[in-house]
Amino acid sequence: MVAATLADDLTPFSGVQPDGAWRDEVRRLARERDAVLLAHNYQLPAIQDIADHTGDSLALSRIAAASDASTIIFCGVHFMAETAKILAPDKTVLIPDARAGCSLADSIDAAQLRAWKAEHPGAVVVSYVNTTAEVKAETDICCTSSNAVDVVRSIPEDREVLFLPDQFLGAHVKRETGRDNLHVWAGECHVHAGINGPELAARAAANPDADLFVHPECGCATSALYLAGEGVVPETQVKILSTGDMVTEARNTRATTVLVATEIGMLHQLRLAAPEIDFRAVNERASCRYMKMITPAALLRSLREGRDEVHVDATTAARARGAVQRMIEIGKPGGAE
Ligand code: SF4
């Protein structure tokens, strides 16, 4: 462990090695702060390994709300820490680097959503959890990738639906429900959009016995279903899963090789869950720079200095909480990203 340095813009806070001294100091400071450490599945391996809990964003937010700890250190991106704060308003929520944003959450803001609603009066707004607190406050029902189809099916057939922000998840829901009155916002995650169909098809052809674990935000989710429909890949081998459900499926599958179409941080938990399986990324370059801003140096600074604290004003939080709670009540919410 050596002295840390902070550069401006989006350069990660760096200069600290995740060695034994770092781990001891992180654990000591967490006890001193009465903090629970939560890490998303896309975090750096050292951050996943030091955390009290690793998982998808919804599972982590529920753990945050149920925890006895007075402080939550959320190692993930900003909207995830906000969701934890919405569900646990009385706790102090810290994110080690507040600059860790999300290109998908940033693809729509509250003003844009209000304008879209004005074009479709009476429409029901369904938002994936990758949205800011302000957007959730303008939402009727949030959804996860696991229950998005059930959430939309719970809405009367004659009501228009505005689905946001992810166009790939929206396309998946539209296909499954067959609804013509479902409008999809054209947002995307730059990381998941970079995992494309041709790449997946080539990998599947080279590994005909492999399972395919595909996150529905992937640009290739449609291709994966198409390949299954064409018989190129047996339908039983294509599994559209949230990141949390991927870990569960890793423990259950009989495949010896699994192709993984999501952010590469996911491979760490999959390999821990099933070390005997050969997990391979469909795209090794699919790394989220925002997730990787939560470095060992940033976590140490967060614990030492109590930063960066996440605030959501009470009115916004109350409205957003209603949308999140409706999501938890419908279908099997499972996990989110
Ligand atoms: S991988 Fe994409 S959706 Fe996930 S946090 Fe990064 S930018 Fe957002």
Side-chain angles (χ1 to χ4, degrees), residues 42 77 102-104 130 189-192 217 288 290-291 337:
Y42 296 167
V77 295
C102 167
S103 57
L104 180 56
N130 287 41
C189 152
H190 68 294
V191 178
H192 285 97
E217 279 166 32
C288 175
Y290 302 113
M291 284 284 178
E337 176 176 79

Side-chain angles (χ1 to χ4, degrees), residues 124 126 141 150-157 159-161 179:
V124 179
V126 178
I141 317 176
D150 288 334
V151 165
V152 170
R153 284 203 177 117
S154 77
I155 299 164
E157 286 287 332
R159 297 280 300 275
E160 280 191 297
V161 177
R179 279 179 94 122

